[in-house]
Amino acid sequence: MDLDRLTDEFPAPEYRGNQAAALDAIDEAFAAGNEVVLVRAPTGSGKSLLARAIAGCARRPGAADPEEPVGAYYTTPQVSQLDDVSNDPLLDDLAIVRGKNNYDCILPGESTTPVDRAPCVREREFECDRKQRCPYYSDRSIASQRSIAAMTLAYFMQTAGSDVFGQRDVIVVDEAHGLREWAELYATIELDPSTVPVWEARPPPAIDDLGSARSYADGLRTVCERRLTELRNQAELDPDAVVERDRLETLRSDLGWFLETSGPVGPGEGAAGDDGDTDGESDADDDSGGTEWVVHQPDGAGEPVRIAPMNPERYLGHTVWDRGQQFALLSATILDKDAFCRGVGLDPDRVALVSVGHTFPVESRPLFDVSAGKMTREHRADTLDTIADTVVRIMADRPDEPGLIHCHSYDIQSGLADRLRERGVADRIRAHGRSDRDAQLATWKRETRPEVFLSVKMEEALDLEGDLARWQVLCKAPYPNVGDPRVERRLENDRWDWYYRTALRTVIQACGRIVRSPTDYGATYLADRSLLDLFDRARSAMPEWFAAQVDRCERPDLPPGDASAALAGLSGGGTDRRTVDASPVADVWDTD
């Protein structure tokens, strides 16, 4: 890594805000011998530009010995973040590659077939005469040869062990705050009829400990291998068989990883996770190699099973840390260096934290306390009534400004949408369902009327700069779901610091959605009293710039909740364009 190139590799014609100081600090951190540098930079810092400068310092072929890796990877868990990179002319030298299902086949008669279902995948001995022009293989080839290859974190992890995307000198992970959670998600094994093609041939027995889970996984893997052999012996597969084969290959690999990392425990030799969790923050120097797994089968024999890792450090070692020599991880919400490092398998002594100050005036990003109750299940109905009244008052106070409401769950979204309709303001409300969230979001952003968008799980990777949104409401403190066995296990082991820190991180991310530049402005309204309690409990983890927002939080002076005033900014009245699912499913994100 040639740090002398750091400033030259910065892609913008000039620095803004604290970018120059950030580069100096990053330079010093790497020069001090740290293998990993965490860059905590708030919204608007230009993290992608900093990331590009760091990646540009990677060792080049002419300066490397034959055995030394060259080049860099840029990766992010957010698809929308990769889209932003793709559309940024300052980052046009990053070679982007995506998964096969993002590309269409170019063969005659296959123009609507994604590459992962194309003849080259369906037919055993098919030789494509257009492979060099295939959009997927073309992008993959270009990315493999360029000095900076860019991809989503999911694709990056899937290519671990690939000859095409081997080890490089530098790895840059943007929006890295959820790295541990993403690793847990990717490493979790969901066993149900939709993921196990041979479900009927090998339904699960009652699984209540790690030993019985290992025994079932071993047998299931054998059944998968037999079925894979049958499919591979066929000269050509239809699309359904291709899907089955791909699922079987993924399942076989996942089960193999589970069996390899869970240890040789026999049936009845210990419940899953009995070793005592420490928030998954085991010492990075501990080479015992074990991964603690939690097994969850709430409905008993014959029903779905979830096998989830509590500490994904080994998984990250294989998919991330073994694939580079120096690393930069960027995010606005890496709140605790030591806890973050332990959670992802890094030794804090080999990691430096660079903290970048906020350049947005605190007056432009106010927090307002409009809470009048808690959103726990026992109080939710009454509190939702109050929130609906408050939203109407905010709409009346801001009749010409579009707003965003973070509903936290589809259950809350549906209940709030119904209450707002009862209060006569449905003409200004838009919401999305599970299947049309991207489409509804895009339509709302194009809408010229000041609609209010009821969203679920849009606290991150959403850029609402300028007049796209001038205000937002947080309906509920976003605590991790205590119905998740991993969360339950951590709380049993008194990991409340992790619990509060995780919720605070989501709140800070949400607050950054509507203020995107030093001249931008927007207000955030806190509707759940538990948010104020969270600020007290997690105060020590707050970045200074967010603590300044919290310190200025006050009760707003809102007008009465008059529907006609709330709709005054509409032209022509409009119609109810809500698309909330008619029968909302269970609130899987909720917490007691």
Side-chain angles (χ1 to χ4, degrees), residues 366-393:
L367 300 177
F368 290 113
D369 174 14
V370 294
S371 63
K374 291 191 174 184
M375 284 292 286
T376 51
R377 284 196 180 276
E378 61 269 29
H379 299 112
R380 181 167 303 171
D382 291 340
T383 303
L384 263 180
D385 287 337
T386 304
I387 290 177
D389 291 336
T390 300
V391 169
V392 175
R393 295 178 67 190

PDB file of all heavy atoms in Angstrom, residues 366-393:
ATOM      1  N   PRO A 366     -32.588  19.313  13.616  1.00  0.00           N
ATOM      2  CA  PRO A 366     -33.149  19.260  14.974  1.00  0.00           C
ATOM      3  C   PRO A 366     -33.905  17.962  15.246  1.00  0.00           C
ATOM      4  O   PRO A 366     -34.468  17.331  14.343  1.00  0.00           O
ATOM      5  CB  PRO A 366     -34.090  20.455  15.003  1.00  0.00           C
ATOM      6  CG  PRO A 366     -34.531  20.621  13.583  1.00  0.00           C
ATOM      7  CD  PRO A 366     -33.315  20.294  12.771  1.00  0.00           C
ATOM      8  N   LEU A 367     -33.914  17.601  16.537  1.00  0.00           N
ATOM      9  CA  LEU A 367     -34.753  16.528  17.041  1.00  0.00           C
ATOM     10  C   LEU A 367     -35.878  17.143  17.858  1.00  0.00           C
ATOM     11  O   LEU A 367     -35.651  18.059  18.655  1.00  0.00           O
ATOM     12  CB  LEU A 367     -33.950  15.572  17.929  1.00  0.00           C
ATOM     13  CG  LEU A 367     -32.759  14.848  17.310  1.00  0.00           C
ATOM     14  CD1 LEU A 367     -32.054  14.006  18.373  1.00  0.00           C
ATOM     15  CD2 LEU A 367     -33.198  13.971  16.156  1.00  0.00           C
ATOM     16  N   PHE A 368     -37.096  16.626  17.659  1.00  0.00           N
ATOM     17  CA  PHE A 368     -38.246  17.114  18.411  1.00  0.00           C
ATOM     18  C   PHE A 368     -38.896  15.953  19.157  1.00  0.00           C
ATOM     19  O   PHE A 368     -39.148  14.888  18.583  1.00  0.00           O
ATOM     20  CB  PHE A 368     -39.271  17.770  17.493  1.00  0.00           C
ATOM     21  CG  PHE A 368     -38.818  19.087  16.918  1.00  0.00           C
ATOM     22  CD1 PHE A 368     -38.581  19.217  15.559  1.00  0.00           C
ATOM     23  CD2 PHE A 368     -38.633  20.183  17.739  1.00  0.00           C
ATOM     24  CE1 PHE A 368     -38.175  20.418  15.018  1.00  0.00           C
ATOM     25  CE2 PHE A 368     -38.218  21.400  17.217  1.00  0.00           C
ATOM     26  CZ  PHE A 368     -37.986  21.519  15.853  1.00  0.00           C
ATOM     27  N   ASP A 369     -39.160  16.165  20.422  1.00  0.00           N
ATOM     28  CA  ASP A 369     -39.810  15.168  21.266  1.00  0.00           C
ATOM     29  C   ASP A 369     -41.321  15.337  21.163  1.00  0.00           C
ATOM     30  O   ASP A 369     -41.882  16.313  21.663  1.00  0.00           O
ATOM     31  CB  ASP A 369     -39.341  15.341  22.712  1.00  0.00           C
ATOM     32  CG  ASP A 369     -40.078  14.435  23.683  1.00  0.00           C
ATOM     33  OD1 ASP A 369     -40.753  13.489  23.221  1.00  0.00           O
ATOM     34  OD2 ASP A 369     -39.987  14.680  24.904  1.00  0.00           O
ATOM     35  N   VAL A 370     -41.980  14.392  20.489  1.00  0.00           N
ATOM     36  CA  VAL A 370     -43.447  14.406  20.404  1.00  0.00           C
ATOM     37  C   VAL A 370     -44.016  13.141  21.047  1.00  0.00           C
ATOM     38  O   VAL A 370     -45.146  12.738  20.767  1.00  0.00           O
ATOM     39  CB  VAL A 370     -43.931  14.529  18.946  1.00  0.00           C
ATOM     40  CG1 VAL A 370     -43.561  15.879  18.359  1.00  0.00           C
ATOM     41  CG2 VAL A 370     -43.369  13.396  18.081  1.00  0.00           C
ATOM     42  N   SER A 371     -43.232  12.517  21.915  1.00  0.00           N
ATOM     43  CA  SER A 371     -43.651  11.249  22.512  1.00  0.00           C
ATOM     44  C   SER A 371     -44.753  11.466  23.530  1.00  0.00           C
ATOM     45  O   SER A 371     -44.789  12.470  24.240  1.00  0.00           O
ATOM     46  CB  SER A 371     -42.459  10.564  23.181  1.00  0.00           C
ATOM     47  OG  SER A 371     -41.960  11.363  24.247  1.00  0.00           O
ATOM     48  N   ALA A 372     -45.657  10.488  23.589  1.00  0.00           N
ATOM     49  CA  ALA A 372     -46.727  10.530  24.586  1.00  0.00           C
ATOM     50  C   ALA A 372     -47.039   9.127  25.096  1.00  0.00           C
ATOM     51  O   ALA A 372     -48.102   8.889  25.643  1.00  0.00           O
ATOM     52  CB  ALA A 372     -47.987  11.160  23.998  1.00  0.00           C
ATOM     53  N   GLY A 373     -46.123   8.207  24.886  1.00  0.00           N
ATOM     54  CA  GLY A 373     -46.330   6.836  25.316  1.00  0.00           C
ATOM     55  C   GLY A 373     -45.259   5.933  24.745  1.00  0.00           C
ATOM     56  O   GLY A 373     -44.391   6.382  23.996  1.00  0.00           O
ATOM     57  N   LYS A 374     -45.333   4.665  25.117  1.00  0.00           N
ATOM     58  CA  LYS A 374     -44.373   3.682  24.619  1.00  0.00           C
ATOM     59  C   LYS A 374     -45.036   2.783  23.580  1.00  0.00           C
ATOM     60  O   LYS A 374     -46.245   2.559  23.616  1.00  0.00           O
ATOM     61  CB  LYS A 374     -43.828   2.835  25.767  1.00  0.00           C
ATOM     62  CG  LYS A 374     -42.931   3.617  26.723  1.00  0.00           C
ATOM     63  CD  LYS A 374     -42.221   2.676  27.681  1.00  0.00           C
ATOM     64  CE  LYS A 374     -41.209   3.439  28.538  1.00  0.00           C
ATOM     65  NZ  LYS A 374     -40.434   2.536  29.420  1.00  0.00           N
ATOM     66  N   MET A 375     -44.209   2.244  22.686  1.00  0.00           N
ATOM     67  CA  MET A 375     -44.716   1.399  21.610  1.00  0.00           C
ATOM     68  C   MET A 375     -44.504  -0.083  21.889  1.00  0.00           C
ATOM     69  O   MET A 375     -44.449  -0.897  20.963  1.00  0.00           O
ATOM     70  CB  MET A 375     -44.042   1.802  20.302  1.00  0.00           C
ATOM     71  CG  MET A 375     -44.593   3.090  19.719  1.00  0.00           C
ATOM     72  SD  MET A 375     -46.307   2.908  19.153  1.00  0.00           S
ATOM     73  CE  MET A 375     -46.032   1.957  17.655  1.00  0.00           C
ATOM     74  N   THR A 376     -44.372  -0.452  23.162  1.00  0.00           N
ATOM     75  CA  THR A 376     -44.370  -1.870  23.502  1.00  0.00           C
ATOM     76  C   THR A 376     -45.765  -2.423  23.217  1.00  0.00           C
ATOM     77  O   THR A 376     -46.742  -1.670  23.116  1.00  0.00           O
ATOM     78  CB  THR A 376     -44.015  -2.060  24.975  1.00  0.00           C
ATOM     79  OG1 THR A 376     -44.854  -1.203  25.771  1.00  0.00           O
ATOM     80  CG2 THR A 376     -42.560  -1.718  25.236  1.00  0.00           C
ATOM     81  N   ARG A 377     -45.880  -3.720  23.096  1.00  0.00           N
ATOM     82  CA  ARG A 377     -47.141  -4.315  22.643  1.00  0.00           C
ATOM     83  C   ARG A 377     -48.318  -3.958  23.550  1.00  0.00           C
ATOM     84  O   ARG A 377     -49.429  -3.720  23.064  1.00  0.00           O
ATOM     85  CB  ARG A 377     -46.986  -5.834  22.545  1.00  0.00           C
ATOM     86  CG  ARG A 377     -46.188  -6.263  21.319  1.00  0.00           C
ATOM     87  CD  ARG A 377     -46.388  -7.747  21.039  1.00  0.00           C
ATOM     88  NE  ARG A 377     -45.633  -8.160  19.863  1.00  0.00           N
ATOM     89  CZ  ARG A 377     -46.044  -8.039  18.618  1.00  0.00           C
ATOM     90  NH1 ARG A 377     -47.220  -7.473  18.379  1.00  0.00           N
ATOM     91  NH2 ARG A 377     -45.304  -8.463  17.610  1.00  0.00           N
ATOM     92  N   GLU A 378     -48.075  -3.935  24.850  1.00  0.00           N
ATOM     93  CA  GLU A 378     -49.200  -3.680  25.749  1.00  0.00           C
ATOM     94  C   GLU A 378     -49.710  -2.249  25.678  1.00  0.00           C
ATOM     95  O   GLU A 378     -50.850  -1.958  26.049  1.00  0.00           O
ATOM     96  CB  GLU A 378     -48.815  -4.042  27.193  1.00  0.00           C
ATOM     97  CG  GLU A 378     -47.648  -3.242  27.758  1.00  0.00           C
ATOM     98  CD  GLU A 378     -46.309  -3.908  27.530  1.00  0.00           C
ATOM     99  OE1 GLU A 378     -46.188  -4.637  26.527  1.00  0.00           O
ATOM    100  OE2 GLU A 378     -45.399  -3.695  28.350  1.00  0.00           O
ATOM    101  N   HIS A 379     -48.869  -1.324  25.180  1.00  0.00           N
ATOM    102  CA  HIS A 379     -49.286   0.076  25.094  1.00  0.00           C
ATOM    103  C   HIS A 379     -49.491   0.548  23.653  1.00  0.00           C
ATOM    104  O   HIS A 379     -49.858   1.692  23.435  1.00  0.00           O
ATOM    105  CB  HIS A 379     -48.227   0.977  25.752  1.00  0.00           C
ATOM    106  CG  HIS A 379     -47.994   0.694  27.203  1.00  0.00           C
ATOM    107  ND1 HIS A 379     -46.818   0.160  27.678  1.00  0.00           N
ATOM    108  CD2 HIS A 379     -48.801   0.855  28.281  1.00  0.00           C
ATOM    109  CE1 HIS A 379     -46.900   0.014  28.990  1.00  0.00           C
ATOM    110  NE2 HIS A 379     -48.092   0.428  29.384  1.00  0.00           N
ATOM    111  N   ARG A 380     -49.273  -0.337  22.687  1.00  0.00           N
ATOM    112  CA  ARG A 380     -49.177   0.109  21.298  1.00  0.00           C
ATOM    113  C   ARG A 380     -50.460   0.730  20.768  1.00  0.00           C
ATOM    114  O   ARG A 380     -50.421   1.756  20.082  1.00  0.00           O
ATOM    115  CB  ARG A 380     -48.747  -1.049  20.397  1.00  0.00           C
ATOM    116  CG  ARG A 380     -48.605  -0.645  18.938  1.00  0.00           C
ATOM    117  CD  ARG A 380     -47.896  -1.694  18.140  1.00  0.00           C
ATOM    118  NE  ARG A 380     -46.596  -1.974  18.700  1.00  0.00           N
ATOM    119  CZ  ARG A 380     -45.819  -2.973  18.321  1.00  0.00           C
ATOM    120  NH1 ARG A 380     -46.229  -3.793  17.374  1.00  0.00           N
ATOM    121  NH2 ARG A 380     -44.645  -3.162  18.877  1.00  0.00           N
ATOM    122  N   ALA A 381     -51.599   0.116  21.033  1.00  0.00           N
ATOM    123  CA  ALA A 381     -52.846   0.624  20.461  1.00  0.00           C
ATOM    124  C   ALA A 381     -53.093   2.074  20.882  1.00  0.00           C
ATOM    125  O   ALA A 381     -53.395   2.931  20.044  1.00  0.00           O
ATOM    126  CB  ALA A 381     -54.019  -0.264  20.871  1.00  0.00           C
ATOM    127  N   ASP A 382     -52.957   2.342  22.168  1.00  0.00           N
ATOM    128  CA  ASP A 382     -53.182   3.707  22.647  1.00  0.00           C
ATOM    129  C   ASP A 382     -52.124   4.670  22.111  1.00  0.00           C
ATOM    130  O   ASP A 382     -52.441   5.798  21.710  1.00  0.00           O
ATOM    131  CB  ASP A 382     -53.176   3.738  24.183  1.00  0.00           C
ATOM    132  CG  ASP A 382     -54.377   3.027  24.775  1.00  0.00           C
ATOM    133  OD1 ASP A 382     -55.391   2.855  24.054  1.00  0.00           O
ATOM    134  OD2 ASP A 382     -54.305   2.629  25.952  1.00  0.00           O
ATOM    135  N   THR A 383     -50.869   4.223  22.102  1.00  0.00           N
ATOM    136  CA  THR A 383     -49.812   5.110  21.630  1.00  0.00           C
ATOM    137  C   THR A 383     -49.950   5.393  20.141  1.00  0.00           C
ATOM    138  O   THR A 383     -49.689   6.519  19.691  1.00  0.00           O
ATOM    139  CB  THR A 383     -48.432   4.491  21.931  1.00  0.00           C
ATOM    140  OG1 THR A 383     -48.326   4.231  23.332  1.00  0.00           O
ATOM    141  CG2 THR A 383     -47.311   5.429  21.514  1.00  0.00           C
ATOM    142  N   LEU A 384     -50.380   4.403  19.354  1.00  0.00           N
ATOM    143  CA  LEU A 384     -50.589   4.634  17.918  1.00  0.00           C
ATOM    144  C   LEU A 384     -51.675   5.678  17.677  1.00  0.00           C
ATOM    145  O   LEU A 384     -51.579   6.479  16.749  1.00  0.00           O
ATOM    146  CB  LEU A 384     -50.940   3.323  17.211  1.00  0.00           C
ATOM    147  CG  LEU A 384     -49.794   2.579  16.524  1.00  0.00           C
ATOM    148  CD1 LEU A 384     -50.307   1.303  15.865  1.00  0.00           C
ATOM    149  CD2 LEU A 384     -49.112   3.465  15.493  1.00  0.00           C
ATOM    150  N   ASP A 385     -52.713   5.662  18.505  1.00  0.00           N
ATOM    151  CA  ASP A 385     -53.742   6.705  18.386  1.00  0.00           C
ATOM    152  C   ASP A 385     -53.113   8.089  18.568  1.00  0.00           C
ATOM    153  O   ASP A 385     -53.387   9.027  17.812  1.00  0.00           O
ATOM    154  CB  ASP A 385     -54.834   6.492  19.441  1.00  0.00           C
ATOM    155  CG  ASP A 385     -55.742   5.314  19.121  1.00  0.00           C
ATOM    156  OD1 ASP A 385     -55.835   4.944  17.931  1.00  0.00           O
ATOM    157  OD2 ASP A 385     -56.341   4.766  20.064  1.00  0.00           O
ATOM    158  N   THR A 386     -52.261   8.205  19.578  1.00  0.00           N
ATOM    159  CA  THR A 386     -51.603   9.488  19.842  1.00  0.00           C
ATOM    160  C   THR A 386     -50.642   9.858  18.714  1.00  0.00           C
ATOM    161  O   THR A 386     -50.576  11.028  18.304  1.00  0.00           O
ATOM    162  CB  THR A 386     -50.842   9.420  21.180  1.00  0.00           C
ATOM    163  OG1 THR A 386     -51.739   9.047  22.223  1.00  0.00           O
ATOM    164  CG2 THR A 386     -50.215  10.764  21.504  1.00  0.00           C
ATOM    165  N   ILE A 387     -49.906   8.869  18.208  1.00  0.00           N
ATOM    166  CA  ILE A 387     -48.986   9.157  17.106  1.00  0.00           C
ATOM    167  C   ILE A 387     -49.743   9.638  15.879  1.00  0.00           C
ATOM    168  O   ILE A 387     -49.320  10.581  15.196  1.00  0.00           O
ATOM    169  CB  ILE A 387     -48.142   7.909  16.781  1.00  0.00           C
ATOM    170  CG1 ILE A 387     -47.151   7.631  17.917  1.00  0.00           C
ATOM    171  CG2 ILE A 387     -47.381   8.093  15.458  1.00  0.00           C
ATOM    172  CD1 ILE A 387     -46.325   6.363  17.713  1.00  0.00           C
ATOM    173  N   ALA A 388     -50.871   9.001  15.578  1.00  0.00           N
ATOM    174  CA  ALA A 388     -51.672   9.437  14.427  1.00  0.00           C
ATOM    175  C   ALA A 388     -52.129  10.885  14.599  1.00  0.00           C
ATOM    176  O   ALA A 388     -52.065  11.680  13.651  1.00  0.00           O
ATOM    177  CB  ALA A 388     -52.868   8.511  14.255  1.00  0.00           C
ATOM    178  N   ASP A 389     -52.586  11.227  15.813  1.00  0.00           N
ATOM    179  CA  ASP A 389     -52.979  12.624  16.067  1.00  0.00           C
ATOM    180  C   ASP A 389     -51.794  13.560  15.860  1.00  0.00           C
ATOM    181  O   ASP A 389     -51.927  14.641  15.267  1.00  0.00           O
ATOM    182  CB  ASP A 389     -53.509  12.766  17.498  1.00  0.00           C
ATOM    183  CG  ASP A 389     -54.845  12.061  17.709  1.00  0.00           C
ATOM    184  OD1 ASP A 389     -55.567  11.858  16.720  1.00  0.00           O
ATOM    185  OD2 ASP A 389     -55.140  11.709  18.869  1.00  0.00           O
ATOM    186  N   THR A 390     -50.622  13.146  16.343  1.00  0.00           N
ATOM    187  CA  THR A 390     -49.431  13.980  16.227  1.00  0.00           C
ATOM    188  C   THR A 390     -49.013  14.140  14.768  1.00  0.00           C
ATOM    189  O   THR A 390     -48.625  15.235  14.337  1.00  0.00           O
ATOM    190  CB  THR A 390     -48.278  13.378  17.038  1.00  0.00           C
ATOM    191  OG1 THR A 390     -48.665  13.292  18.416  1.00  0.00           O
ATOM    192  CG2 THR A 390     -47.022  14.221  16.916  1.00  0.00           C
ATOM    193  N   VAL A 391     -49.086  13.068  13.994  1.00  0.00           N
ATOM    194  CA  VAL A 391     -48.718  13.149  12.580  1.00  0.00           C
ATOM    195  C   VAL A 391     -49.616  14.127  11.841  1.00  0.00           C
ATOM    196  O   VAL A 391     -49.151  14.917  11.004  1.00  0.00           O
ATOM    197  CB  VAL A 391     -48.759  11.748  11.926  1.00  0.00           C
ATOM    198  CG1 VAL A 391     -48.653  11.853  10.400  1.00  0.00           C
ATOM    199  CG2 VAL A 391     -47.631  10.869  12.454  1.00  0.00           C
ATOM    200  N   VAL A 392     -50.901  14.114  12.146  1.00  0.00           N
ATOM    201  CA  VAL A 392     -51.810  15.074  11.512  1.00  0.00           C
ATOM    202  C   VAL A 392     -51.422  16.512  11.876  1.00  0.00           C
ATOM    203  O   VAL A 392     -51.447  17.410  11.036  1.00  0.00           O
ATOM    204  CB  VAL A 392     -53.274  14.784  11.906  1.00  0.00           C
ATOM    205  CG1 VAL A 392     -54.210  15.854  11.335  1.00  0.00           C
ATOM    206  CG2 VAL A 392     -53.702  13.406  11.410  1.00  0.00           C
ATOM    207  N   ARG A 393     -51.024  16.723  13.118  1.00  0.00           N
ATOM    208  CA  ARG A 393     -50.596  18.061  13.534  1.00  0.00           C
ATOM    209  C   ARG A 393     -49.312  18.478  12.806  1.00  0.00           C
ATOM    210  O   ARG A 393     -49.172  19.634  12.403  1.00  0.00           O
ATOM    211  CB  ARG A 393     -50.384  18.081  15.048  1.00  0.00           C
ATOM    212  CG  ARG A 393     -51.663  17.844  15.857  1.00  0.00           C
ATOM    213  CD  ARG A 393     -51.370  17.841  17.349  1.00  0.00           C
ATOM    214  NE  ARG A 393     -50.945  19.161  17.810  1.00  0.00           N
ATOM    215  CZ  ARG A 393     -50.448  19.396  19.019  1.00  0.00           C
ATOM    216  NH1 ARG A 393     -50.277  18.391  19.870  1.00  0.00           N
ATOM    217  NH2 ARG A 393     -50.098  20.629  19.365  1.00  0.00           N
TER     218      ARG A 393
END
